[in-house]
Amino acid sequence: MSNAPQPTTDSQTDTAPDGAAYLREILRAPVYEVAQITPLQPMKRLTARMGNQIQLKREDRQPVHSFKLRGAYNMMAQLTEAQRQAGVIAASAGNHAQGLALSGQQLGVSATIVMPRTTPDIKVDAVRSFGGKVVLHGSNFDEAKGHAEQLAHEHGYTFIPPFDHPAVIAGQGTIGVELVQQNGHLDYIFVPVGGGGLAAGVAVLIKQLMPNIKVIGVEAEDSACLRAALDAGEPVTLGQVGMFADGVAVKRIGEETFRLCQQYLDDSITVSSDEICSAVKDIFEDTRAIAEPSGALSLAGLKKYVDQQQLHDKQLAAILSGANLNFHGLRYVSERCELGEKREGLLAVTVPEQPGAFLNFCHILGGRAVTEFNYRYSDAQLANVFVGVRLLQGQEELDSIIADLRKGGYPVVDLSDDEMAKVHVRYMIGGRPSKPLKERLYSFEFPEYPGALIKFLNTLGTRWNISLFNYRNHGADYGRVLCGFELEEADLLSFTSHLRELGYRWKDETNNPAYRFFLAQ
């Protein structure tokens, strides 16, 4: 594995390192020349709440506030002198970039990082502060990576991949060594999965030393490339990925990382954005640390797995993999964490327009705290009300509220899991159109860079009339857009073709119940 700076490929499968080889490389990885041994911190509040001993591996305490430093340094430390003189390059929008830059500074190697133009200034500035040379190119990671590979070819740089290389995997695997040294009685370790480098490194190490410990991979449900690969029996490319947990927003798991994850992981689980937000809150309440969404991913999986498997009196560890969060992103986390905990329910309720109806509605709620209430007169007979209710007993209590409302004569729809309702409808004004429209509704994720809106309008807005528009950004690298268009059935084929040309992530929301309740004619 030493002096092997090129990524693993399919042709290398027959000669890929076995578990024993990985164990040797992990144990002799020189990562502590730059990285720290991070604490395994008890989570006392969550432990008391869940009936299991829960500990958090604090990789946010690394100099770059992420585990990525380990893998980048381990690979760079193995370069030949000629490769060091030529310099290294990578493509990254965040943590890998900072790990590479600091590693280059420590080793005296010039490091160039190609970052998408959408990358927030806080991340660009962090890379430069560690001595990295930043090249801004493209509107997404794939475009940045293509440019990085082109520059590597032109200038003779060594390309340092973010996850799919034995040396990178071995560097990340040093976390596993620390875990068993810090608590040799663990029953489960939960590891976040993006491209798979961390999960592969920890799993292969644990299974060589203490195979009785179960290692569980955790993915965001809208970027579950490991789950897709396990189902297919080989790595596959996802059509699109969600960007909330941008640190794990990977369309295709690595070849070598998949081989190891398939062989050594005991299980995997996916979690929603709301469940991740809830885990961010748990981490803050227990440690006062503020995790980035991908950093809280493994704890979200731990909580869900404990609930699904009904685990009790077990010793569990989750890896807080990073804390490079854009501060304004906390607004979204704050809005959604109660939903992730099932401590808030969102309902669309039809209330008759007659005296005393609203009072009777409140009586049915039985004194429960109302978190929000949105209403505007629009019809002489019926009103559609958007209401949030604080919950003390989770889904069971929400089901009881819904049953009581229906028994009282109030039609109700549960919107607690409706993404469009949570992101857009609860914040919109204007209500229904004043005249009939042949309208179709779409949601989009906009990259946050100059010209994104102009591209959208040039592609879609000059031929079809825009009848509704709502934009929200939570400090992330992308914004959320809800847009209505006046479309004839004959236009749908051409319109869909233009959507594909646009290249943004999109979804048809025309039949969404929140839209039907509050915005449609």
Side-chain angles (χ1 to χ4, degrees), residues 215-483:
V215 184
I216 313 299
V218 185
E219 295 185 279
E221 63 185 16
D222 56 6
S223 57
C225 60
L226 171 60
R227 182 71 266 159
L230 290 171
D231 291 342
E234 61 182 359
V236 296
T237 302
L238 302 178
Q240 55 187 11
V241 294
M243 293 303 297
F244 171 60
D246 59 344
V248 292
V250 177
K251 288 186 175 181
R252 183 184 179 93
I253 196 168
E255 299 289 338
E256 176 67 354
T257 55
F258 173 67
R259 182 182 75 85
L260 294 172
C261 286
Q262 185 181 42
Q263 182 175 353
Y264 292 110
L265 280 181
D266 292 285
D267 204 352
S268 68
I269 190 171
T270 62
V271 294
S272 69
S273 294
D274 289 352
E275 289 165 335
I276 294 171
C277 290
S278 173
V280 172
K281 181 187 175 190
D282 288 324
I283 290 171
F284 175 76
E285 290 184 339
D286 247 312
T287 70
R288 293 300 184 263
I290 300 176
E292 63 184 277
S294 58
L297 179 63
S298 62
L299 183 64
L302 180 155
K303 291 168 59 185
K304 189 171 185 177
Y305 199 84
V306 166
D307 183 60
Q308 287 183 353
Q309 303 296 321
Q310 292 295 293
L311 301 182
H312 299 284
D313 299 320
K314 300 296 185 182
Q315 296 212 35
L316 316 172
I319 299 172
L320 197 178
S321 58
N324 289 303
L325 175 71
N326 187 321
F327 181 79
H328 297 292
L330 289 173
R331 177 173 44 176
Y332 179 89
V333 173
S334 177
E335 289 173 0
R336 303 291 285 266
C337 61
E338 295 296 300
L339 289 162
E341 283 282 0
K342 300 297 183 182
R343 294 181 182 177
E344 183 184 25
L346 297 180
L347 303 173
V349 184
T350 302
V351 179
E353 283 285 6
Q354 62 188 40
F358 178 52
L359 178 61
N360 186 48
F361 167 79
C362 292
H363 280 314
I364 293 175
L365 290 181
R368 295 180 177 91
V370 174
T371 57
E372 67 179 282
F373 191 93
N374 296 293
Y375 159 74
R376 189 181 187 283
Y377 175 87
S378 61
D379 184 275
Q381 283 77 43
L382 298 172
N384 288 326
V385 176
F386 188 102
V387 60
V389 183
R390 181 81 65 207
L391 304 172
L392 300 178
Q393 299 172 357
Q395 188 65 45
E396 181 180 348
E397 183 179 3
L398 183 61
D399 291 341
S400 176
I401 293 171
I402 291 172
D404 289 344
L405 287 170
R406 288 173 176 162
K407 184 178 179 181
Y410 294 87
V412 57
V413 173
D414 184 0
L415 299 178
S416 304
D417 293 324
D418 190 309
E419 188 70 8
M420 196 187 85
K422 292 183 284 190
V423 173
H424 296 288
V425 173
R426 69 195 298 184
Y427 303 102
M428 293 182 69
I429 60 173
R432 303 178 188 277
S434 59
K435 65 177 183 178
L437 296 176
K438 292 185 177 179
E439 183 179 63
R440 295 192 71 87
L441 194 69
Y442 294 85
S443 59
F444 299 87
E445 287 185 358
F446 266 35
E448 284 293 338
Y449 70 90
L453 179 59
I454 296 299
K455 178 182 177 182
F456 176 87
L457 294 175
N458 284 340
T459 305
L460 298 175
T462 57
R463 179 171 177 181
W464 294 283
N465 182 52
I466 294 177
S467 54
L468 176 152
F469 195 90
N470 179 256
Y471 164 80
R472 299 203 75 220
N473 178 268
H474 300 89
D477 302 350
Y478 65 98
R480 305 287 287 271
V481 175
L482 188 68
C483 194

